[in-house]
Amino acid sequence: MLPTVLSLLGRRLIAAIPILLLVSALLFCVLRVLPVDPAAMSLPPSATIAEIEAQRREMGLDRPLALQYLIWLQRALHGEFGRSIHYRRDAGALVAETLPATLELALTAMAIAGTLGLCGGLFLFRLRGTPFETLGDLSSMLLLSIPEFLWGLILLFLFGVVLPLLPFTGRLSPSFMRPNITGFLLLDTLLVWRPDMFWDALTHMALPAVALGLAFSPMIMRVLRSSLFDVYVEDFIAQARLRGISEMRILLAHALKNAALPTLTLAGVQFGFLFGGTLLVEIIYSYPGLGNLMVDAVRNADLPIIQTAGLAYCVAVLLINTAVDSLYLVLNPKLRER
Amino acid sequence: MALKLKRRSLLQMIAASATAAAGASARLGRALAADDAAAMGWPSDVPSWDPNQRFAPDAQPIFKALFDQPLDQDPQLKLVPHLIKNWNLAQDGLTMEVELRDDVLFHNGDKLTAEDFRYTFFERTKGAVKLDTANSWQKVQDIVIESPTRATMKFSAPHPTAPQWMAFLGSYVVPKAYLERVGVEAFRQKPIGTGPYRLAEYELNSRIVLERNDRYWGEKPRLARVTVQIIKDPSARVAAIQSGQVDCTVNVPVREVMRFAKEPGFAAELNPITRVILLQVRNDLAFADQNVRLAAHHAIDKDALSKAFYGGAAVSLSVVATPGTPGYLPDFQFKYDPELAKQYLAKSNYGPDKPVKIGFAATNGQFPSDYDIARALVQMWKKVGIDASLEVIEYAKYFELNRGARLPEATLYSWDNASGDPEIFAGYLLNPKMPFSAWKGMDVGDKLLPLFNLADYDKRMQGYRELNRFAVETGASIPLLQSVLTLVRKNNLAYTKYANGWVLPQSMHWS
């Protein structure tokens, strides 16, 4: 199994190179043709037009676009992604500083979405043929139509304002000093063995993670139910029934295992969307992740950050999809044989 | 039995969760309810902890907690001594003598001297690290140190606004020895100033924890700890103050201020500040015609705009300066008169039946109610015979469009000037050599540019007042309103109100 997985990883790595080159070139070109002036944004208000023109030349904005891209690419290959216009810091370092928070949030949200999707899918399937089937169907459709930012606002209002049970700004209460080891706060609080701080961080993450999880679970729910429908017409289900196996056992031990594979593929794709969905949720919950940085960068026409963060999103999605595909190989013996 | 167990487990889980949540909530409450601590909900982060590096108006109150400026402004914006006890700008504006306090310590215990002053305003600005202050202090030729507390600034050209800039954006004294020892990157990680607070913790785009500097040379802050929560979304700031997660917040929607004003336990304010809302106009296209420009101005009912979008708190402006600042003309009124607007248009053969077409740009969300104001202006103009085509632009796009002469005839714009000095109002906004001015006519430029070198304060102020009037009477400037700062706080959290909108942590206390 391992050689198959390694072979897949190798193929994915090779395929990732042109994808990243293409994405970086697209990002670069789109950002450069936007009608914003990074030179003016990078200078103080008292700068004159002549000083702005000098700054444009210094930033290389007067050179041909292709040349600008090649220079950027050469530097990027050496780990230099440019200097943030707004923060005047290395864009790569800024993205690296904020990425763990977003990854932590996205992974937690994905766990919530997966759990809800799994439980919801099984529940919806169990409702088949009952008077509640249509109601379940409609409910899942309703959930599907609510985007993550709306969940964010609803949960904030309900559990932050009306019933002030959970905090909804930042990652930690003012009474705690944040340990900074890996950037993954939940992990860091455990590494310094502060269960109280771990709990506090968890309560801060609860609302944004649930908002994201709720938004992305209905699709998993519906695909799982649909896969279960397909699986239930297979012969092995009928044989299992003939062997006298209980319906619950057939569902959990036999059907679910087979229906999980398409659901897993979907979850991989969903993670890409979920990762992108953190952008608005991070703003609503003042969550200091990559999305928050990205919104600021757009506001300030901070092209190096937009470029680097865009690439970081691309890399994260490629990695997750590769991980899902590897998992798929592990779970599906038929694919390993091919 | 199984069902009973499950139910019991579920109930136990709910009870445990509720207890834990209540505990967390109570802990949060304790942290914020302490008499010597407070939390502020702030709309933006600092761009860098090097205070000389980037000019960011919203970050000034946070910088002022950590760092000190040579001069300060009182709540009415009058310049007052701070790190500098005395200053004397020469008649020709080419030198300025300063005398520093001798009892100021940086947070690491180092004593502030004239070396730090020279380093901040001369050595650093000429160095390799790009600083915004390099631009504001580019006229500094040298700073001669006469003693540890005395120095003389020498300028290459008259710098009449040097004292004002000593209390303005980015002009914070930084420690020379520490910066040279650790380098600028380490300084940004662990900044050290002389201010009333020191930085205890910082997480990018999340929170800033300030702890009182007990060795502060000036009046000690009453609050030992202030946490600044960076909350960029206005609705989230409203929710945060409503739920008690912060004790004070700013820049919330005007309608929320009205609502909070009626709620017990809160104080809600609409404070006029030194920020103007205006139309930046071009001197060509359809606006080449002065009649059209003046008609566009006379057609605007500014009081109605203020009432509709700022609860009537925004003061209508006739010049690009706010009341109480030296460039303001209290006796000059540019009246709202739609009939006069029609007469001006008629002179150029336009009218409601034959409207003049203009382009009009506005931001959406850059400042409160900007797009709504723009839509109201379109309707006001339509009534007199101006057909404006409204387009939404990003603030960042303004400079690029202006650089390429692609701005429309009028652009709705907002401008902040904490100093109140008219140079930083009309001097920048109408200066054809600066990137903000859409007006490129040298009729205004010829009157304005000499004022940059006029050292006599009274003559300079008189010059700007005349310029402000000239610009409005010729339609080169269409000021609209004095902007307001919206603020909501717990009503027992007191603070000092500044005319420029500063909400300083060191001025806060529980009453």
Side-chain angles (χ1 to χ4, degrees):
Chain A
M1 184 169 64
L2 190 62
T4 320
V5 173
L6 287 176
S7 157
L8 173 89
L9 290 177
R11 285 202 306 276
R12 282 303 172 91
L13 194 65
I14 292 164
I17 295 168
I19 293 174
L20 284 173
L21 279 175
L22 189 68
V23 170
S24 67
L26 273 174
L27 267 171
F28 194 89
C29 293
V30 168
L31 292 176
R32 261 54 182 190
V33 297
L34 283 179
V36 294
D37 189 353
M41 295 299 285
S42 68
L43 286 173
S46 46
T48 62
I49 291 169
E51 284 163 341
I52 291 171
E53 287 304 324
Q55 180 74 1
R56 293 190 90 250
R57 286 192 292 278
E58 195 183 317
M59 291 170 80
L61 297 170
D62 56 338
R63 296 183 188 179
L65 196 59
L67 184 62
Q68 287 185 45
Y69 175 68
L70 288 175
I71 293 170
W72 177 85
L73 187 64
Q74 190 189 20
R75 286 180 183 163
L77 289 172
H78 289 89
E80 290 173 32
F81 293 93
R83 218 165 164 73
S84 156
I85 290 168
H86 182 64
Y87 296 101
R88 298 241 174 105
R89 282 179 61 195
D90 179 51
L94 280 164
V95 168
E97 194 177 322
T98 50
L99 187 61
T102 298
L103 275 177
E104 193 173 53
L105 175 64
L107 288 170
T108 311
M110 198 62 218
I112 292 170
T115 309
L116 289 175
L118 179 72
C119 297
L122 290 172
F123 182 68
L124 285 179
F125 183 72
R126 289 286 285 177
L127 290 180
R128 75 191 189 286
T130 70
F132 299 105
E133 185 178 7
T134 313
L135 185 66
D137 209 27
L138 283 173
S139 303
S140 71
M141 288 290 282
L142 181 70
L143 288 177
L144 195 63
S145 62
I146 301 177
E148 69 279 3
F149 71 88
L150 197 53
W151 275 122
L153 291 171
I154 291 168
L155 293 177
L156 187 149
F157 179 69
L158 287 179
F159 299 105
V161 179
V162 178
L163 299 168
L165 290 173
L166 289 165
F168 55 84
T169 55
R171 294 170 88 190
L172 217 49
S173 294
S175 50
F176 290 108
M177 289 291 187
R178 183 174 67 98
N180 198 356
I181 303 165
T182 63
F184 293 92
L185 186 57
L186 293 178
L187 180 63
D188 288 350
T189 53
L190 291 177
L191 287 174
V192 295
W193 193 242
R194 286 287 304 272
D196 55 337
M197 205 190 294
F198 174 81
W199 176 252
D200 189 75
L202 204 60
T203 57
H204 276 78
M205 198 186 284
L207 290 180
V210 170
L212 280 164
L214 276 172
F216 288 94
S217 61
M219 186 60 89
I220 298 173
M221 251 178 233
R222 291 178 67 82
V223 170
L224 180 62
R225 187 186 69 152
S226 169
S227 301
L228 283 169
F229 277 135
D230 291 342
V231 169
Y232 259 63
V233 297
E234 299 280 342
D235 291 344
F236 72 92
I237 297 289
Q239 286 168 5
R241 280 201 180 113
L242 288 172
R243 293 208 306 273
I245 298 172
S246 72
E247 279 298 317
M248 186 61 85
R249 190 171 159 76
I250 290 172
L251 177 63
L252 297 178
H254 296 271
L256 182 59
K257 201 173 160 187
N258 288 279
L261 291 174
T263 314
L264 189 66
T265 310
L266 175 86
V269 176
Q270 285 286 86
F271 188 84
F273 290 117
L274 186 145
F275 199 65
T278 55
L279 202 127
L280 286 174
V281 170
E282 281 186 9
I283 289 292
I284 291 167
Y285 288 102
S286 312
Y287 197 84
L290 192 58
N292 216 322
L293 185 73
M294 186 80 157
V295 170
D296 261 359
V298 171
R299 199 172 285 154
N300 297 313
D302 202 336
L303 305 189
I305 288 190
I306 301 173
Q307 176 93 25
T308 315
L311 273 182
Y313 274 108
C314 179
V315 170
V317 170
L318 283 174
L319 282 177
I320 292 295
N321 278 321
T322 307
V324 169
D325 285 353
S326 306
L327 201 59
Y328 209 83
L329 273 185
V330 173
L331 294 175
N332 192 345
K334 285 181 192 168
L335 287 176
R336 267 178 265 156
E337 286 161 13
R338 277 199 276 155
Chain B
M1 185 63 188
L3 187 65
K4 276 182 187 172
L5 275 174
K6 278 179 190 168
R7 189 184 295 159
R8 192 183 303 148
S9 304
L10 185 68
L11 288 171
Q12 282 170 349
M13 278 170 63
I14 291 170
S17 304
T19 310
S25 185
R27 192 166 56 247
L28 190 69
R30 273 202 307 278
L32 299 186
D35 283 350
D36 58 355
M40 298 164 73
W42 205 250
S44 58
D45 198 354
V46 294
S48 157
W49 280 114
D50 182 343
N52 306 145
Q53 195 169 41
R54 291 297 275 155
F55 289 167
D58 286 348
Q60 297 313 303
I62 300 169
F63 281 147
K64 286 181 85 72
L66 250 76
F67 303 95
D68 279 319
Q69 295 184 294
L71 296 175
D72 203 0
Q73 288 173 280
D74 70 8
Q76 286 74 45
L77 307 188
K78 187 177 165 237
L79 280 183
V80 290
H82 203 56
L83 293 178
I84 288 179
K85 288 200 292 187
N86 299 298
W87 71 98
N88 178 31
L89 180 68
Q91 287 289 323
D92 57 8
L94 287 169
T95 58
M96 187 164 85
E97 296 165 3
V98 301
E99 185 189 356
L100 295 158
R101 299 183 67 94
D102 64 354
D103 57 352
V104 180
L105 296 177
F106 285 103
H107 297 155
N108 64 350
D110 290 352
K111 192 167 185 176
L112 177 135
T113 69
E115 287 284 350
D116 300 298
F117 182 80
R118 185 177 192 273
Y119 178 72
T120 302
F121 296 105
F122 179 62
E123 291 171 38
R124 281 204 93 197
T125 58
K126 311 293 180 201
V129 177
K130 277 197 174 296
L131 303 172
D132 280 2
T133 48
N135 197 282
S136 48
W137 295 106
Q138 62 186 331
K139 288 182 185 171
V140 178
Q141 226 170 16
D142 195 7
I143 296 177
V144 179
I145 296 174
E146 281 133 26
S147 78
T149 57
R150 283 180 183 275
T152 301
M153 302 181 84
K154 293 183 182 297
F155 305 117
S156 57
H159 197 343
T161 50
Q164 282 72 24
W165 272 97
M166 284 279 163
F168 196 40
L169 293 170
S171 296
Y172 297 90
V173 179
V174 294
K176 177 181 178 175
Y178 176 75
L179 248 159
E180 286 186 337
R181 190 168 68 247
V182 302
V184 71
E185 290 296 339
F187 176 73
R188 285 179 201 146
Q189 296 294 320
K190 196 181 174 190
I192 281 174
T194 59
Y197 286 95
R198 63 179 188 83
L199 184 66
E201 195 206 316
Y202 171 64
E203 187 176 12
L204 181 76
N205 281 331
S206 179
R207 67 173 183 172
I208 297 161
V209 182
L210 304 170
E211 280 182 356
R212 186 168 51 210
N213 170 15
D214 288 321
R215 290 189 294 183
Y216 187 55
W217 58 271
E219 191 183 339
K220 308 271 186 306
R222 306 261 287 270
L223 298 178
R225 186 181 166 108
V226 175
T227 302
V228 182
Q229 297 276 6
I230 311 299
I231 309 175
K232 293 177 186 170
D233 182 57
S235 310
R237 286 198 294 279
V238 170
I241 182 84
Q242 181 88 56
S243 64
Q245 294 195 20
V246 297
D247 304 305
C248 160
T249 193
V250 296
N251 286 357
V252 295
V254 173
R255 63 178 181 281
E256 294 293 347
V257 175
M258 307 295 189
R259 183 173 67 79
F260 274 108
K262 292 172 193 156
E263 284 208 21
F266 292 103
E269 300 169 9
L270 285 164
N271 300 326
I273 56 171
T274 49
R275 185 177 295 165
V276 293
I277 298 170
L278 74 158
L279 294 178
Q280 286 289 67
V281 297
R282 289 181 66 141
N283 56 326
D284 53 5
L285 307 176
F287 267 9
D289 186 341
Q290 182 170 308
N291 289 330
V292 177
R293 298 195 303 268
L294 291 174
H297 196 170
H298 278 297
I300 299 170
D301 186 350
K302 298 170 189 175
D303 290 338
L305 293 177
S306 172
K307 206 171 172 183
F309 304 114
Y310 298 106
V315 177
S316 300
L317 294 180
S318 291
V319 290
V320 183
T322 54
T325 62
Y328 188 67
L329 292 161
D331 300 328
F332 174 66
Q333 291 292 319
F334 193 93
K335 60 184 177 181
Y336 162 58
D337 190 340
E339 289 310 314
L340 187 56
K342 285 178 188 169
Q343 286 171 27
Y344 272 116
L345 287 175
K347 282 186 201 171
S348 297
N349 298 318
Y350 295 115
D353 299 328
K354 189 193 166 197
V356 55
K357 290 187 187 302
I358 64 164
F360 178 35
T363 50
N364 190 354
Q366 176 69 20
F367 60 91
S369 306
D370 47 1
Y371 187 62
D372 296 329
I373 291 173
R375 289 199 306 174
L377 288 177
V378 170
Q379 293 307 315
M380 287 175 184
W381 283 335
K382 197 174 181 180
K383 286 180 186 166
V384 298
I386 298 173
D387 182 7
S389 162
L390 178 62
E391 68 165 311
V392 175
I393 61 166
E394 288 296 319
Y395 179 70
K397 201 175 162 183
Y398 177 86
F399 301 103
E400 177 68 4
L401 292 175
N402 198 19
R403 196 173 65 84
R406 285 183 288 132
L407 277 176
E409 279 87 346
T411 306
L412 186 64
Y413 202 75
S414 166
W415 182 258
D416 190 75
N417 173 13
S419 77
D421 192 274
E423 178 179 296
I424 299 156
F425 275 131
Y428 283 17
L429 285 167
L430 292 170
N431 187 338
K433 294 194 172 180
M434 284 191 157
F436 314 102
S437 180
W439 186 270
K440 303 296 179 194
M442 285 313 291
D443 48 349
V444 173
D446 289 340
K447 290 181 186 296
L448 184 151
L449 293 172
L451 298 175
F452 274 73
N453 292 318
L454 187 58
D456 186 304
Y457 182 82
D458 292 333
K459 283 182 183 167
R460 192 167 69 87
M461 293 306 120
Q462 184 58 33
Y464 274 112
R465 282 191 288 269
E466 286 168 9
L467 173 80
N468 278 339
R469 187 175 185 135
F470 172 79
V472 170
E473 285 178 341
T474 56
S477 171
I478 304 184
L480 298 177
L481 298 167
Q482 178 182 17
S483 191
V484 295
L485 176 82
T486 53
L487 183 143
V488 181
R489 59 186 164 88
K490 289 181 178 163
N491 60 5
N492 55 342
L493 180 69
Y495 79 108
T496 304
K497 199 182 290 184
Y498 280 77
N500 53 15
W502 285 341
V503 182
L504 302 178
Q506 55 266 42
S507 77
M508 290 180 164
H509 63 91
W510 294 101
S511 57

